Amino acid sequence: MKFTKLFSTLVLCVTLAVPAFTQEAKKSDKLDFHYTVDFAYYPLSAYIANPEKNNSQFAPLTGPYSGLEGRATIFADYTIPTPLGSHWLVSDANLVLEGKFEISPVSVKPGVAVTFTPLPFLVFNAGAEAGTGWTLAGLQGMALFNDTNLANLVYDDLTPFKNWYYKLWAQGSFQFDFGAVIQSKWAHVLTVYTYQVYYEGISGLSENAVWEWQCTKSKTNALINYQNIVLAYQIPDCVLSRVGVLTEIEGCYSDSAYKNPDYDSAFKTVSISPLMQFAFTPKHSLTVLLGFSSRRSFAEEHTENTVEPLLTATGREWFFRRIALSYSQKL
């Protein structure tokens, strides 16, 4: 079982919930609740030694199971209309204050965020999250990499509610619906581009310390950039409401975030995920992602990713990463 950064399904569902440029009646302040349940299945793609520098390769599936991912999150959104004028471009501007509470088998993490939509095609967000983790049935929610014994590299459990995971982030999104300029219910081609800057870390650790959060290893306190690009088609009058492709790019800004200079600290992972979104009712939806991703490839052979922060990164390795599901319900 391994937990990764929350995939962009939630951002996608919120951003594309109403096509850009949609006109609505004036609204007063309102409070909404919704929750999401996320699940992902990971098959096994064994690592392949890659001695050639800057070489790309593909790692085929080598086993039926590598891990599972699951979490539930409840959200409370308070929307404040903030019209900037009478023009239709700004008359529906709004501010959303969001609180959320995420729980998984090995962690708990509340968070807050604020979203400002000054124009139908622009969305700005900022927020903060903090949480703690524990070990359950051998699954580590929060741990520190211990490399003092090279013959037995391990992640030592950190103390729940003494060490804290935290994340501070800000992002901007551009969204556009071609149905706004082509008057046809068949013309809703949706595009979204999001750029996010975030800093994540665990309190009480030394500089360049490597740690694990929600069963994802090889993390360090660092400033990171994350981008996603969505191209989707909205299908009218169909339970399968949208189909498209989600592309994600993520990596550290600094090339010295990790102590090992050969690890390639600024490496950018790239994920390409065909997606389907089902709208069963106006309040119930399900998003399905098939994720193809890339990771560092290394000169040395290895079977466990525990040793990776000590290895020499040489290039990029593509593999089929996961099948992911995200169910959302408005309350």
Side-chain angles (χ1 to χ4, degrees), residues 191-213:
T191 60
V192 181
Y193 172 73
T194 298
Y195 191 97
Q196 180 184 107
V197 178
Y198 70 92
Y199 188 93
E200 70 171 352
I202 290 182
S203 64
L205 303 185
S206 61
E207 185 179 3
N208 298 127
V210 176
W211 43 267
E212 177 180 2
W213 171 250

Side-chain angles (χ1 to χ4, degrees), residues 140-297:
Q140 293 178 295
M142 188 172 61
L144 176 64
F145 183 48
N146 184 347
D147 60 353
T148 56
N149 182 0
L150 297 181
N152 184 29
L153 297 171
V154 296
Y155 277 79
D156 294 328
D157 294 338
L158 292 171
T159 305
F161 304 103
K162 180 180 178 181
N163 295 99
W164 295 89
Y165 169 87
Y166 60 91
K167 176 180 176 181
L168 307 172
W169 57 273
Q171 72 179 35
S173 298
F174 172 83
Q175 58 182 14
F176 186 76
D177 176 7
F178 285 91
V181 293
I182 303 174
Q183 298 303 312
S184 170
K185 67 178 184 179
W186 298 97
H188 290 294
V189 177
L190 310 168
T191 60
V192 181
Y193 172 73
T194 298
Y195 191 97
Q196 180 184 107
V197 178
Y198 70 92
Y199 188 93
E200 70 171 352
I202 290 182
S203 64
L205 303 185
S206 61
E207 185 179 3
N208 298 127
V210 176
W211 43 267
E212 177 180 2
W213 171 250
Q214 292 181 330
C215 302
T216 298
K217 296 179 172 63
S218 302
K219 287 179 169 285
T220 191
N221 293 14
L223 186 66
I224 300 171
N225 71 83
Y226 167 77
Q227 303 172 65
N228 75 46
I229 304 167
V230 179
L231 178 62
Y233 177 67
Q234 182 168 298
I235 305 172
D237 308 320
C238 185
V239 173
L240 177 58
S241 60
R242 294 185 181 96
V243 294
V245 176
L246 167 66
T247 300
E248 300 170 281
I249 305 168
E250 184 176 26
C252 295
Y253 281 102
S254 173
D255 58 4
S256 59
Y258 290 82
K259 183 167 55 177
N260 175 14
D262 295 324
Y263 185 64
D264 190 5
S265 295
F267 179 85
K268 299 293 187 295
T269 62
V270 180
S271 298
I272 301 174
S273 304
L275 66 91
M276 297 179 290
Q277 193 171 63
F278 298 86
F280 303 111
T281 72
K283 292 187 175 183
H284 298 261
S285 65
L286 174 68
T287 302
V288 180
L289 296 173
L290 303 177
F292 297 85
S293 189
S294 64
R295 61 194 177 196
R296 293 175 178 84
S297 59

Side-chain angles (χ1 to χ4, degrees), residues 93-123:
N94 63 67
L95 184 72
V96 178
L97 307 178
E98 178 188 273
K100 71 174 185 178
F101 185 82
E102 173 192 304
I103 186 168
S104 78
V106 293
S107 66
V108 62
K109 180 162 62 75
V112 294
V114 59
T115 299
F116 180 49
T117 309
L119 299 169
F121 49 83
L122 288 178
V123 182

